[in-house]
Structures are given as C-alpha cells and as structure tokens.
Amino acid sequence: MKRFLYILITITFLSSCSEYQKALKNEDIATKFKLGEDLYNEGKFAKANKLFAQIVPNYRGKPQAEKLMYLYSNSFYKMKDYYTAGYQFERFASSYPKSEKLEEASFLGAKSYYMLSPAYTKDQKETKAAIEKLQDFINMFPESEYLSEANKLVHELDFKLEKKAFSIAKQYNTISDYPASVKSFDNFMFDFPGSTLREEALFLRFDSAYKLAVNSVEYKKTLTGIVPLKKTRLEQAKEYHDSFKKAYANSKHTEEVDKMALELNEQLQKYSTKS
C-alpha cells in the first residue's frame, strides 16, 4: 500500500512539473495566467511569479491586467523580495487608483520598505524611507483597517532611529571624545524629546561634560583673545547636572551624579575665591 501511495505521489509530482514546464514554453497567455493563479493559490509563489513575468506586458490595457498586476506584485512580497515588491505595489497603486485592492496594495508596498529596514547598528537610509512610505499611507488612508499596524511599524522604526542616535552619542563617550558626545546627546534630546532612553542620555551627557570640564586646560587662545575655558566648561557641566537631577531625582545614577557634582562645586569654588 505504501509503495502504491509513493508511486501515485511521484506520478502526480512529475505530472505537475511537466504541466508547469509546458506552460512556460506555451505561447497561450491565458494558459499561463490560469496556471499561474492556481500555483499562487497553492502557495507556489516563485513558480507563479515566473509565469506572471512572461505575460505582464501582454495584458497591459486589458480588463484582467489589474488582477494580474496585484498577484504579480504580491508574489514578490510572498517570496520576500521586498525591494521589487515595494516597487511593483507602487506601480499598481499608480496604475489603478480606483482599485478595490488599492488600500491593501498601498499598505503592503509601504510594509515592504519596513521589511528592508536593517538593524539599528547599520546605516538607516532604508528606515527613514520606510517611515516616509508608512506615513504617506497613514495620511492617505486615515480610516484604514491597517492603520493600527501601520502606526505600530512607524513606532518601531522611530525607536530604531532613537537607538542609532543614542548609540553614536554613547560611543563618543566610550572613546573619550567628550565634545562630540555632549553635542550628540544635545541633538538626541532635541530630536527625541519623549524617548525612553532619555534618562540614560541625560546621564551620559552630564558624564561627558563632567569629564571634559575636570580634565580641561584653564585657558584657550582664540582670535579675540584668551578665554577661561575650564571655568566655562565647569559651569556648563553644572547646568547639565541640574537638568538631570530635576528630571530624575531618584535615578539609579544618583549616587554617582552627586559625587561628580561635589567635585564640580569644589573646583568652581576656587574661581569664587580668586575673584
């Protein structure tokens, strides 16, 4: 019995392969479309895509073109070829603005860009493009059934940009490039005022400003004369300390922050004594 089932499955498989190969060589576009749709419905997207690709030019301007282009675009998405899927869905939306599939195609096109977004440690060009595409979708379909998911995807991508900006600023602190770290954290606060990473960012900004100040030279020669560099940096670090304490009085960093603040006050006191 098992041998019979094996033979039957093998014959069926070979028959389907033979039918597919014949369709690829067949000049009848209707045959290709029909088999392509059957394969698509069976989840055999790569094979369906290959047949669709052969007949797309032949169906331009015909009633069946809209359905074909949707299936063709979505077959790329199902195959995880997100670059091509995004492009093809955009073509579909542009070509068929009144289609009942417009909303779904527009969402899947935008989501294709989301799928291309890399890890936050890498360049975020694709992430920014995905946010733009998803926001365009949200603006175009504010009542969409996909709105909740679209907003969730935008939130994920925004957080990825936050982590990227935070990691860059933190890296400057790690390698002791404190001026760059302070500036980067200033930019981070401005760009992401509601970030969940805000406490750590404020602490590391203060830490960078503190280390920059206590290790600073007293004066700096400029085109306009000599300026008291260390005193200025100590005062700036003190301002960053006050900002941190005001925002996070009960932080896990409180003990360390208070110790640094004590040293800042002692060094600033010297300037008061001199004056």
Side-chain angles (χ1 to χ4, degrees):
M1 183 65 178
K2 288 183 179 179
R3 180 180 173 81
F4 173 75
L5 287 174
Y6 175 77
I7 293 173
L8 182 61
I9 292 170
T10 302
I11 291 172
T12 303
F13 174 76
L14 292 174
S15 176
S16 64
C17 287
S18 176
E19 182 185 7
Y20 174 68
Q21 292 300 326
K22 286 179 180 178
L24 286 174
K25 299 174 183 177
N26 199 324
E27 296 296 325
D28 185 1
I29 61 174
T31 299
K32 293 178 187 288
F33 195 161
K34 175 64 171 61
L35 181 58
E37 186 176 2
D38 289 344
L39 291 168
Y40 177 94
N41 291 332
E42 292 171 12
K44 299 174 182 177
F45 302 111
K47 286 186 174 182
N49 178 274
K50 198 167 183 180
L51 286 170
F52 293 152
Q54 290 184 340
I55 60 176
V56 162
N58 303 94
Y59 274 91
R60 287 198 182 103
K62 295 183 179 181
Q64 306 97 318
E66 181 183 328
K67 181 178 183 180
L68 173 61
M69 287 306 299
Y70 174 81
L71 295 176
Y72 184 51
S73 301
N74 205 30
S75 65
F76 283 111
Y77 186 86
K78 296 294 188 180
M79 291 160 59
K80 300 184 179 181
D81 182 352
Y82 298 117
Y83 277 107
T84 310
Y87 170 73
Q88 292 295 345
F89 275 126
E90 286 182 343
R91 283 187 64 196
F92 178 88
S94 176
S95 300
Y96 305 102
K98 296 183 179 180
S99 172
E100 63 178 21
K101 289 287 190 179
L102 178 64
E103 183 180 321
E104 182 182 359
S106 298
F107 174 68
L108 289 175
K111 190 174 180 180
S112 294
Y113 285 91
Y114 162 84
M115 299 300 289
L116 292 170
S117 174
Y120 79 91
T121 52
K122 298 183 179 181
D123 182 80
Q124 294 301 298
K125 179 181 177 182
E126 287 88 353
T127 300
K128 293 174 183 177
I131 291 173
E132 182 179 333
K133 299 293 184 181
L134 284 163
Q135 195 58 58
D136 286 344
F137 170 80
I138 291 168
N139 294 339
M140 186 176 294
F141 301 98
E143 304 297 327
S144 172
E145 64 177 292
Y146 304 106
L147 185 64
S148 177
E149 184 177 357
N151 282 321
K152 180 182 176 183
L153 298 181
V154 170
H155 180 74
E156 287 180 22
L157 295 171
D158 278 336
F159 186 59
K160 193 176 288 189
L161 293 182
E162 284 183 37
K163 288 199 293 182
K164 177 68 173 182
F166 178 87
S167 68
I168 290 172
K170 184 178 180 180
Q171 181 63 18
Y172 283 131
N173 175 276
T174 301
I175 65 175
S176 303
D177 187 348
Y178 301 122
S181 180
V182 169
K183 184 176 181 180
S184 295
F185 277 121
D186 278 339
N187 292 337
F188 178 85
M189 288 331 151
F190 181 80
D191 293 334
F192 308 103
S195 173
T196 56
L197 301 171
R198 182 175 174 80
E199 179 180 350
E200 198 65 18
L202 281 171
F203 167 70
L204 288 172
R205 181 179 70 170
F206 170 54
D207 180 71
S208 295
Y210 161 80
K211 289 173 180 174
L212 180 64
V214 297
N215 295 298
S216 177
V217 295
E218 285 289 345
Y219 300 99
K220 179 181 180 181
K221 186 180 292 186
T222 68
L223 293 175
T224 57
I226 297 176
V227 296
L229 186 62
K230 185 163 187 172
K231 181 173 181 291
T232 301
R233 285 176 170 174
L234 287 168
E235 291 171 341
Q236 180 67 75
K238 185 66 169 59
E239 287 182 17
Y240 285 146
H241 162 266
D242 294 344
S243 295
F244 179 82
K245 289 288 285 186
K246 184 178 180 180
Y248 301 101
N250 299 312
S251 170
K252 64 180 180 180
H253 299 294
T254 295
E255 185 177 348
E256 186 177 358
V257 164
D258 288 347
K259 187 182 295 185
M260 289 190 286
L262 184 62
E263 184 173 354
L264 288 176
N265 289 329
E266 288 176 353
Q267 294 209 22
L268 281 169
Q269 189 63 37
K270 296 176 185 177
Y271 292 96
S272 299
T273 304
K274 289 179 183 178
S275 59

